[in-house]
């Protein structure tokens, strides 16, 4: 029998209005020329002002790259880390169109329990300590140790448990796309009907 609990989480998805600024007036020169008239329109030169680079990642590879960049920037996330003796601690690091990034801390013995992420897929990485991930599919149960430098990529409906089985605290970073709005909790041996094949891998 499946034990399910759905956690609805409201997310602030309001986007900041883009600020528009009027172009600065071009200062005249004694000979009638200006820097702009000499150099031409900067937007006409793709090598100077490229417009084909996405501001936010939109692919699995882009999400994995963003997680690597955030993990490497310890000054960004390390001062935010807190620990809670009663439950896992978490804080949202970043949001963008169609995704959000979370920072989690794990004291020894703390676990997520078996769960999925609803319609969200994502990427996770450990940045401090070690975690154990147990995945559960119709093919059976698998377990792996997650250490700094590795990544796990998972699809929507992926069922797993993450636990700190060491004697030291651990910290991880998780990206969900779309942003996480529900989690279904399962009993240790319960499987959802027609559970989709996990598309997870280490990178």
């Amino acid at each position: 029998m499946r034990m399910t609990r759905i956690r609805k989480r409201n997310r602030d998805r309001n986007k900041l209005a883009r600020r528009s600024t009027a172009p600065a007036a071009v200062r005249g020169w004694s000979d009638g020329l200006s820097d702009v008239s000499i150099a031409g329109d900067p937007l006409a030169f793709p090598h100077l002002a490229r417009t084909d680079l996405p501001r936010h990642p939109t692919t699995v590879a882009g999400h994995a790259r963003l997680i690597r960049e955030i993990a490497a920037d310890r000054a960004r996330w390390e001062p935010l880390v807190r620990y809670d003796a009663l439950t896992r601690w978490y804080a949202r690091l970043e949001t963008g169109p169609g995704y959000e990034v979370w920072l989690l801390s794990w004291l020894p013995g703390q676990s997520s329990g078996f769960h999925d992420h609803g319609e969200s897929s994502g990427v996770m990485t450990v940045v401090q300590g070690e975690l154990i991930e147990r995945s559960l599919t119709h093919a059976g149960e698998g377990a792996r140790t997650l250490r700094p430098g590795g990544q796990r990529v998972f699809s929507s409906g992926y069922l797993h448990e993450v636990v700190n089985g060491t004697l030291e605290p651990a910290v991880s970073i998780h990206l969900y796309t779309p942003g996480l709005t529900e989690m279904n909790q399962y009993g240790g041996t319960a499987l959802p009907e027609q559970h989709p094949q996990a598309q997870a891998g280490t990178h």
Side-chain angles (χ1 to χ4, degrees), residues 35-49:
D35 292 344
V36 172
S37 64
I38 294 173
D41 182 3
L43 297 181
F45 297 90
H47 66 285
L48 295 178

Side-chain angles (χ1 to χ4, degrees), residues 67-82:
I67 286 290
R68 285 195 300 270
E69 292 174 352
I70 294 175
D73 188 2
R74 296 187 70 92
R76 177 177 180 183
W77 56 263
E78 195 168 36
L80 303 177
V81 175
R82 304 289 184 271

Side-chain angles (χ1 to χ4, degrees), residues 72-188:
D73 188 2
R74 296 187 70 92
R76 177 177 180 183
W77 56 263
E78 195 168 36
L80 303 177
V81 175
R82 304 289 184 271
Y83 295 100
D84 189 324
L86 299 179
T87 184
R88 291 171 297 142
W89 173 92
Y90 54 90
R92 188 161 55 183
L93 281 177
E94 179 176 323
T95 61
Y99 73 89
E100 58 187 14
V101 182
W102 288 84
L103 177 69
L104 279 75
S105 72
W106 313 70
L107 288 173
Q110 289 184 337
S111 168
S112 67
F114 276 103
H115 66 282
D116 65 28
H117 308 97
E119 297 300 316
S120 299
S121 58
V123 184
M124 68 168 290
T125 187
V126 174
V127 292
Q128 181 176 306
E130 293 183 3
L131 293 172
I132 297 172
E133 182 201 30
R134 300 187 181 100
S135 58
L136 193 60
T137 70
H138 288 295
E141 181 176 345
R144 60 195 54 80
T145 300
L146 308 179
R147 300 182 176 90
Q151 289 183 328
R152 292 290 293 164
V153 177
F154 52 88
S155 63
S156 59
Y158 180 55
L159 182 59
H160 72 159
E161 175 187 33
V162 180
V163 60
N164 182 356
T166 73
L167 299 178
E168 300 294 332
V171 180
S172 57
I173 296 175
H174 305 240
L175 181 148
Y176 301 101
T177 177
L180 193 62
T181 58
E182 65 176 309
M183 288 177 61
N184 301 314
Q185 297 286 154
Y186 300 90

Side-chain angles (χ1 to χ4, degrees), residues 1-17:
M1 178 176 179
R2 185 177 70 179
M3 299 174 59
T4 303
R5 181 178 67 192
I6 299 178
R7 301 175 185 170
K8 295 293 184 182
R9 298 180 178 177
N10 295 325
R11 296 289 184 246
D12 180 11
R13 302 188 182 282
N14 293 331
K15 298 181 180 178
L16 295 177

